[in-house]
């Protein structure tokens, strides 16, 4: 937006008042939209049939193995990789991250 710096400053005060009023209007609209969104989400969730909804409340059990002797942890992606994927032994970076 172009601005005339030679113009009187009273116009700036009017613009500031308009911006404050529009800011208050936007805040009121945002609060109204947030309230509407919360109501719509409940109705939307009721309409959706999620395929894994029955699994959501179950506790998952997974056996986690510690890093093996022939594996390393990449210092770039932090994934545990097999030694065959080691691209830079000094930096301990896997082939995918070195590329």
């Amino acid at each position: 937006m172009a601005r005339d710096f030679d113009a009187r400053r009273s116009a700036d005060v009017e613009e500031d008042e308009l911006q404050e009023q529009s800011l208050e209007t936007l805040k009121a609209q945002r609060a109204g939209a947030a309230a509407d969104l919360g109501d719509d989400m409940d109705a939307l969730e009721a309409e959706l049939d999620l395929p894994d909804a029955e699994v959501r409340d179950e506790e998952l059990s997974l056996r986690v193995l510690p890093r093996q002797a022939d594996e390393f942890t990449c210092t770039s992606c932090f994934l545990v990789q097999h030694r065959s994927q080691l691209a830079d032994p000094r930096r301990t970076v896997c082939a995918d991250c070195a590329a």
Side-chain angles (χ1 to χ4, degrees), residues 22-34:
S22 64
L23 181 62
E24 291 171 1
T25 305
L26 287 173
K27 285 182 180 178
Q29 289 175 351
R30 180 178 286 174

Side-chain angles (χ1 to χ4, degrees), residues 8-60:
R8 293 184 354 190
R9 299 243 180 208
S10 63
D12 290 342
V13 173
E14 292 173 5
E15 288 178 14
D16 290 341
E17 290 175 3
L18 287 175
Q19 287 178 355
E20 288 178 14
Q21 290 175 357
S22 64
L23 181 62
E24 291 171 1
T25 305
L26 287 173
K27 285 182 180 178
Q29 289 175 351
R30 180 178 286 174
D36 291 342
L37 182 62
D39 294 341
D40 291 341
M41 290 303 289
D42 294 336
L44 181 64
E45 288 177 359
E47 292 176 11
L48 290 176
D49 183 27
L50 300 176
D52 61 345
E54 64 276 354
V55 182
R56 196 175 288 172
D57 293 331
E58 292 182 15
E59 183 177 330
L60 299 176

